[in-house]
Amino acid sequence: MVLAKHTCADILNVYSFFAENEISIRALALKSGPNERPADNFILSEKEITEALCALFDENFKRGMPIRIDPLSGYFESILLKMCGLKSKIFDRRLDGDSVIIVNTGGDLYMRRDAYEPEKSFGIIGDINGSFLSNGAYLQSLETDDNLRKRFCLNCNHMGSCTTTPILEDNIDRTERHCAIAKEVMDHIESTRSEEHTSELQSPVRS
């Protein structure tokens, strides 16, 4: 499910269709696009994306989490681990592979955070033998993962419970705060779940 200006207003109605049919989904926020497309007609601001994802999580939680919504379900799992004092496995593309690859209209392949920057393309869609995995651009993207973890993740309040996958999604050159959207959504999940937990503990015990 794509979060964009033309879909955001109906996001909960779209969610209801999938929830009622028990179909798990991935929520992909439209942050950029190819130069051939009038991006201003579709792209949302960070604030709009964050609000939409928070609303989507709240609705799914209210209904008892009937379906998995990526990346929200992953964020929720990280918060549960944090609340229990447990740690998560760090997501490493060298071992775990790529969960999402952007394909441009010309067939060029990109990491999500590098989408539509020609110099950062690491292959073409016809490269079915996977030789792009050993080219310079792809190997450089793996080093960038490591550098971003050192720069941003080490001081994050979710370090340890977060898998660090948000560093694969946001381009640091396009935002003042790396992982801005993921962190805001995870903060929202943690805050609302902590408030509910506190409320339950303070509720009088009925005999």
Side-chain angles (χ1 to χ4, degrees):
M1 179 171 63
V2 177
L3 300 182
K5 285 186 177 178
H6 61 295
T7 64
C8 214
D10 293 320
I11 184 176
L12 296 185
N13 291 329
V14 174
Y15 160 80
S16 292
F17 169 81
F18 289 107
E20 290 165 6
N21 288 279
E22 299 182 347
I23 301 174
S24 295
I25 58 176
R26 174 182 288 273
L28 290 174
L30 192 60
K31 305 174 186 176
S32 62
N35 296 329
E36 298 83 2
R37 183 173 60 192
D40 291 343
N41 295 336
F42 301 96
I43 292 177
L44 296 169
S45 67
E46 285 185 358
K47 182 175 183 294
E48 290 171 320
I49 295 171
T50 300
E51 290 176 348
L53 289 175
C54 288
L56 191 56
F57 173 82
D58 290 344
E59 184 65 20
N60 196 40
F61 187 84
K62 184 175 70 174
R63 296 194 188 196
M65 310 288 277
I67 61 173
R68 182 176 181 85
I69 305 176
D70 288 324
L72 295 176
S73 294
Y75 296 167
F76 183 49
E77 289 162 5
S78 293
I79 295 303
L80 290 179
L81 288 174
K82 184 177 181 181
M83 294 176 70
C84 294
L86 302 175
K87 292 187 176 182
S88 175
K89 176 182 177 294
I90 298 298
F91 184 86
D92 187 339
R93 290 165 53 223
R94 295 178 181 87
L95 302 175
D96 303 311
D98 290 277
S99 58
V100 177
I101 292 178
I102 300 295
V103 183
N104 199 356
T105 52
D108 300 329
L109 305 177
Y110 298 91
M111 285 283 299
R112 285 186 65 185
R113 63 168 178 250
D114 301 327
Y116 314 117
E117 296 185 26
E119 69 279 6
K120 294 183 179 180
S121 171
F122 53 77
I124 58 174
I125 190 65
D127 182 17
I128 58 175
N129 63 4
S131 62
F132 67 81
L133 295 173
S134 60
N135 72 26
Y138 189 83
L139 295 176
Q140 179 59 49
S141 74
L142 296 176
E143 291 185 20
T144 299
D145 291 353
D146 297 335
N147 292 333
L148 289 174
R149 286 192 188 95
K150 293 176 183 176
R151 183 177 176 185
F152 295 99
C153 297
L154 292 179
N155 295 320
C156 178
N157 60 310
H158 298 297
M159 181 59 182
S161 60
C162 176
T163 62
T164 74
T165 53
I167 66 169
L168 309 179
E169 303 168 3
D170 293 333
N171 187 321
I172 187 57
D173 297 325
R174 299 176 187 156
T175 180
E176 295 179 0
R177 298 170 298 148
H178 204 68
C179 300
I181 294 170
K183 185 180 184 307
E184 292 287 344
V185 176
M186 291 176 73
D187 286 346
H188 168 80
I189 295 173
E190 181 177 26
S191 174
T192 53
R193 300 293 75 79
S194 295
E195 289 174 1
E196 289 186 357
H197 181 63
T198 300
S199 177
E200 291 174 356
L201 291 176
Q202 293 177 343
S203 298
V205 178
R206 296 180 180 178
S207 58

